[in-house]
Amino acid sequence: MVLKSYTNLLDMCCEDVFQQPLRSLPHVVTSPGIISDPDCESSNDGNLVGSTHICFKRKIIVANFLPMICAKNEATGEWSFAMDDNQLLVQLKDGFPIDNEVIYVGSLNVQVDPSEQDRVSQKLFKEHRCIPTFLPADLQQQFYHIFCKQHLWPLFHYMLPVCHDKGELFDRSLFQAYVRANKIFADKVVEAVNSDDDCVWVHDYHLMLIPTFLRKKLHRIKVGFFLHSPFPSSEIYRTLPVRDEILKSLLNADLIGFQTFDYARHFLSCCSRLLGLNYESKRGHIGIEYFGRTVSLKILAAGVHVGRLESMLKLPATINKVQEIESRYSGKLVILGVDDMDIFKGISLKLLGLELLLERTPKLRGKVVLVQIVNPARSIGKDVEEAKYEAVSVAQRINDKYGSANYKPVVLIDYSIPFYEKIAFYAASDCCIVNAVRDGMNLIPYEYTVCRQGNEDIDKLRGVNKSSSHTSTLIVSEFVGCSPSLSGAFRVNPWSMEDVADALYNATDLTQYEKNLRHEKHYRYVRSHDVAYWAHSFDQDLERACREQYSQRCWTTGFGLNFRIIALSPGFRRLSLEHLTSSYKKANRRMIFLDYDGTLVPQASHDKSPSAELISILNSLCNDMKNTVFIVSGRGRDSLSEWFVSCENLGIAAEHGYFIRWNKAAEWETSLSGLHSEWKLIVEPIMHLYMETTDGSFIEQKESALVWHYQNTDHDFGLCQAKELVGHLERVLSNEPVAVRRGHQIVEVKPQGVNKGISVDKIIQTMVSKGDVPDLLMCIGNDRSDEDMFESINKATSLSEPAIPEVFACSVGPKASKANYYVDGCSEVIRLLKGVTAISPQKDTVSHSHAVFKDTLEVIS
């Protein structure tokens, strides 16, 4: 089967997919000449047709770069590839079930000529189960080096553009390159998907749009996303012009992972403030409600491969290097720093802290050495060059000031060294410092802790008994993702040189016993929370998150990056005019209940009064002798009476049914007669106190209720105050006959036994008792209070004698609801009502026809 790829961005955004049927994933999806079913072992001639095979469950790991070491023989032109076992993406396989097949999708870190790409693809998949995404050089430059590294990377590390020149401003064309690159990655993932049981795990901020592209093609695909970088606070993130597009795409995943709760909290705040989404914790799992789906969040820092590090420690080259380092720095306390050359790693701040230490503590001069290993920069730019120049300059100044012919306080290793040599430095160093000003996944402290545990050979070289305790000391920035898990480390504010200098001094002043206690505590955690534990835990949570979605019926809606899946109960469907009019025509007694705000009038409308068109439609419905029509609203009776004064036969249930009037000429009925309102004397001062302390909130006085509104307050503060207010009111009103209800940006106190459902039930029972048993019930509403109405008319269907044959409980907007139908919005509600009025005989028309018939009879006589 050949998968069709979109040829441009316009094609990608132009699918009309609403109510598109969900398809199962193909058993095997292949692209000719590149990917075949790897479990189909062919005969000698390579023919796959007719061969038998077993299909294993696949884990598809998607990252910007494949974990691959690439080399080309210039003489023969042949490429050779080897998996880089030191990379996290390779090591996480240990956390998956042994019968799972792991496939990698990503780019190579070298440019491959287009004429060689097919051959390289076949070789990579056959030998390493890797699928390369060959991005054109110009697209790679715009996507990775500019948009990712110069826009997203700084922003996610809390650095806003200062806009000194146009190059720092957001460029929409660069985002389009990001979109195109993500689309290419997603197409390759689709080629690799084998069945419904396959899982896709997308890694890091380079590929945040992949969940949307995958969901558009394979609606039930299991998608997990893990962000290895920090996620900024909402105040920082909201400055990104494409903030909504990225958030909505991430929410098309089933599970989103973060290193720390801080990063997850910032993401939740962005979803809440920018998209108006709610979240809650259920049985320890945090979930965001997104169009009927629950998108789960995972909070767990990645781990290291302990076995890999231990095996590296056993290498003769490593042991020899450890011996060399310890001999070279004999009698000195070695402090180690290992960082990428990056503006956020805080290398210069670390050196300044050391400088202050040596300045304040002369006795440590000649005794302390900071070995700073600088990994090559992952991107280019003037910021990187400036950071490198500054680090070299500070190191040179410290060495000139406090060094000598035989002593250098700072040893700067700014060139690539073999991994075993880095491991040797870990094992030989007394202290490790990670001083990043902002960092996500930083595994240096974990690797250092494992290496300090050593082994028998290293202990023998040191002349110590293998049963003797091991030590390690860590200094960790509080802005690093691994910091919360290292409770025995010295946590520092990297921006404070005094803080860093104090931590360095304390590290030199620890007793052997204290060093051992800290090491044992860290080593136990690192060993039990290794990379296999991290991968297994994420995989288990992804399976759990997807399992909960499969019992629901799903629709797709939205264009381009606004595409999303709507998950609803199996019986929930769209209400069409044809279906409604068919039942409407057959019915002889109809009851129609309509919510007002958000149903007949848009929620965002400033003018809440009904339009002339709406008044006309309601009059047409009411003038049909077969209809009983009610407006059921939370609004007060005075405003509703004023607005609908021209609707003679319209029933009104005001304040959620506390007041009911059957038509304009009828008297208002009260649901709970004789109820005292002394409780208002308790509630009003409390609400007033919260109104004064919560800027933007206000109190609405109703005859039956008091309502505290907080829609105009700061989102998080208003939510916090609402929770506190509900608890406060429930405590003081525990003996009063009232209920405290929290609705959409409101807290309401009203008499018990008053809601829309009870009022609708009362109206229906009154009609039935008079012998007017309805054979069609229709109820339309948009918010939580209307769910009581839906529940009431659904119960009326089964409890009434005889049973009501046609019930239309209709929600405005497709969402989780007790209704069995939905419409898209207020305009569609008006269209439906207008459609049924066209077939309703009017009282004036009937009277006019009768008069004409009578006059005709008189003429004949």
Side-chain angles (χ1 to χ4, degrees), residues 58 75 111 152 206 245-246 255 531 619 624 680 744 832:
R58 285 178 171 175
Q111 283 293 323
L152 290 181
H206 317 89
E245 290 90 331
I246 289 176
L255 178 68
V531 65
N619 275 324
D624 188 334
K680 288 187 177 181
H744 180 62
L832 284 175

Side-chain angles (χ1 to χ4, degrees), residues 586-776:
K586 299 173 186 175
N588 292 312
R589 199 74 187 88
R590 315 181 194 102
M591 297 197 72
I592 302 172
F593 300 97
L594 304 171
D595 174 44
Y596 186 70
D597 291 281
T599 300
L600 299 178
V601 175
Q603 197 83 49
S605 174
H606 293 290
D607 183 9
K608 297 295 185 180
S609 60
S611 64
E613 181 188 27
L614 177 58
I615 294 292
S616 174
I617 291 171
L618 291 175
N619 275 324
S620 297
L621 287 172
C622 294
N623 289 337
D624 188 334
M625 298 289 291
K626 298 179 180 180
N627 291 345
T628 299
V629 183
F630 267 85
I631 296 290
V632 185
S633 173
R635 287 188 173 273
R637 56 178 173 174
D638 291 340
S639 57
L640 292 174
S641 297
E642 179 184 347
W643 285 343
F644 297 105
V645 66
S646 60
C647 300
E648 300 281 345
N649 300 309
L650 178 67
I652 296 176
E655 298 191 18
H656 300 291
Y658 185 81
F659 298 107
I660 296 176
R661 189 181 73 181
W662 288 79
N663 53 56
K664 183 180 177 181
E667 295 293 324
W668 285 99
E669 301 173 8
T670 305
S671 296
L672 301 172
S673 57
L675 182 69
H676 67 85
S677 58
E678 284 81 359
W679 58 267
K680 288 187 177 181
L681 301 177
I682 303 172
V683 173
E684 192 168 1
I686 296 174
M687 283 191 173
H688 190 76
L689 173 65
Y690 280 82
M691 182 186 72
E692 287 184 338
T693 56
T694 312
D695 189 35
S697 66
F698 64 93
I699 300 172
E700 179 187 1
Q701 295 270 1
K702 294 183 180 179
E703 292 184 69
S704 67
L706 287 173
V707 187
W708 184 73
H709 293 260
Y710 61 95
Q711 61 263 36
N712 297 325
T713 67
D714 176 85
H715 183 275
D716 290 344
F717 184 55
L719 200 62
C720 177
Q721 291 289 79
K723 290 178 182 178
E724 178 66 25
L725 176 58
V726 168
H728 192 164
L729 290 172
E730 286 177 341
R731 287 192 297 272
V732 300
L733 297 173
S734 58
N735 296 321
E736 298 291 334
V738 293
V740 181
R741 185 185 71 88
R742 194 168 145 206
H744 180 62
Q745 296 182 324
I746 64 164
V747 174
E748 182 176 30
V749 182
K750 61 182 179 180
Q752 292 176 351
V754 175
N755 63 51
K756 290 185 178 182
I758 293 174
S759 63
V760 164
D761 186 59
K762 179 179 179 181
I763 294 168
I764 293 173
Q765 293 303 323
T766 302
M767 295 289 291
V768 171
S769 65
K770 293 180 180 179
D772 288 336
V773 180
D775 51 6
L776 183 145

Side-chain angles (χ1 to χ4, degrees), residues 271-282:
C271 291
S272 179
R273 287 174 174 268
L274 301 178
L275 302 181
L277 301 178
N278 297 316
Y279 58 89
E280 60 181 345
S281 179
K282 294 180 181 178

Side-chain angles (χ1 to χ4, degrees), residues 394-494:
V394 175
Q396 185 64 47
R397 186 178 74 223
I398 295 173
N399 288 336
D400 291 343
K401 188 175 182 180
Y402 299 106
S404 63
N406 300 320
Y407 167 67
K408 285 186 177 181
V410 180
V411 178
L412 203 60
I413 303 175
D414 57 353
Y415 51 86
S416 295
I417 62 174
F419 187 64
Y420 79 86
E421 192 170 328
K422 195 180 294 183
I423 293 294
F425 272 106
Y426 285 144
S429 300
D430 301 284
C431 175
C432 180
I433 178 170
V434 176
N435 201 53
V437 297
R438 185 72 61 179
D439 208 355
M441 181 188 69
N442 193 314
L443 300 179
I444 301 300
Y446 294 169
E447 292 176 347
Y448 167 74
T449 300
V450 173
C451 294
R452 286 294 290 174
Q453 186 69 14
N455 55 42
E456 291 184 22
D457 294 331
I458 293 177
D459 288 343
K460 190 181 297 182
L461 282 174
R462 291 170 175 165
V464 298
N465 191 307
K466 66 178 182 179
S467 61
S468 64
S469 57
H470 298 89
T471 64
S472 65
T473 306
L474 280 170
I475 300 173
V476 180
S477 164
E478 61 190 52
F479 302 116
V480 173
C482 62
S483 175
S485 62
L486 300 169
S487 56
F490 292 105
R491 293 197 182 99
V492 297
N493 175 4

Side-chain angles (χ1 to χ4, degrees), residues 798-813:
S798 56
L799 297 179
S800 61
E801 292 291 341
I804 301 171
E806 293 286 355
V807 174
F808 295 92
C810 184
S811 166
V812 178

